[in-house]
Amino acid sequence: MSRLQTMHKIVMTPTTRISIDGETFILAEDCDVGDLMGRIESASHGESGFVTFASRFETLSVLVTRRTRVVVSVEHSVGEAPGSETGAAQDWYGDYPGDNWV
């Protein structure tokens, strides 16, 4: 692989963001998004609980309650929009939309 191809590949990496009550963070590249979402969901079912995760720049602990608003988004590079041909239409747990959606 040429240096240009390697550089191009780095640029094409999707960026995953999490917004918690309006504050947005870029998640670390090695973040297991499905696991993080599960921990947030579990914390939201109880009285409250701290959920710890790594952003690109810091480690955060967020107090999650039933009223916490969380949005997870993935920014794809131009030409790399999600689609079933690439498997990008899968949800965070590896299922295709419609399989386990409520």
Side-chain angles (χ1 to χ4, degrees):
M1 183 179 295
S2 73
R3 181 182 169 115
L4 181 59
Q5 288 172 321
T6 303
M7 289 172 46
H8 182 68
K9 188 172 186 171
I10 292 171
V11 172
M12 301 301 282
T13 302
T15 300
T16 305
R17 291 181 172 83
I18 187 166
S19 296
I20 302 172
D21 289 336
E23 294 290 326
T24 302
F25 307 95
I26 298 173
L27 294 176
E29 288 183 21
D30 62 348
C31 178
D32 182 339
V33 179
D35 174 68
L36 176 57
M37 290 173 62
R39 292 186 289 129
I40 290 170
E41 186 176 1
S42 292
S44 72
H45 289 282
E47 289 293 318
S48 63
F50 277 96
V51 176
T52 301
F53 62 94
S55 76
R56 280 196 183 163
F57 308 109
E58 58 194 340
T59 299
L60 301 119
S61 291
V62 178
L63 182 62
V64 176
T65 69
R66 292 179 180 176
R67 299 181 144 244
T68 303
R69 182 172 183 265
V70 178
V71 176
V72 177
S73 63
V74 177
E75 179 182 305
H76 297 276
S77 302
V78 176
E80 293 292 319
S84 59
E85 309 80 38
T86 63
Q90 292 180 337
D91 73 16
W92 307 108
Y93 302 102
D95 302 317
Y96 283 95
D99 288 351
N100 292 318
W101 289 45
V102 201

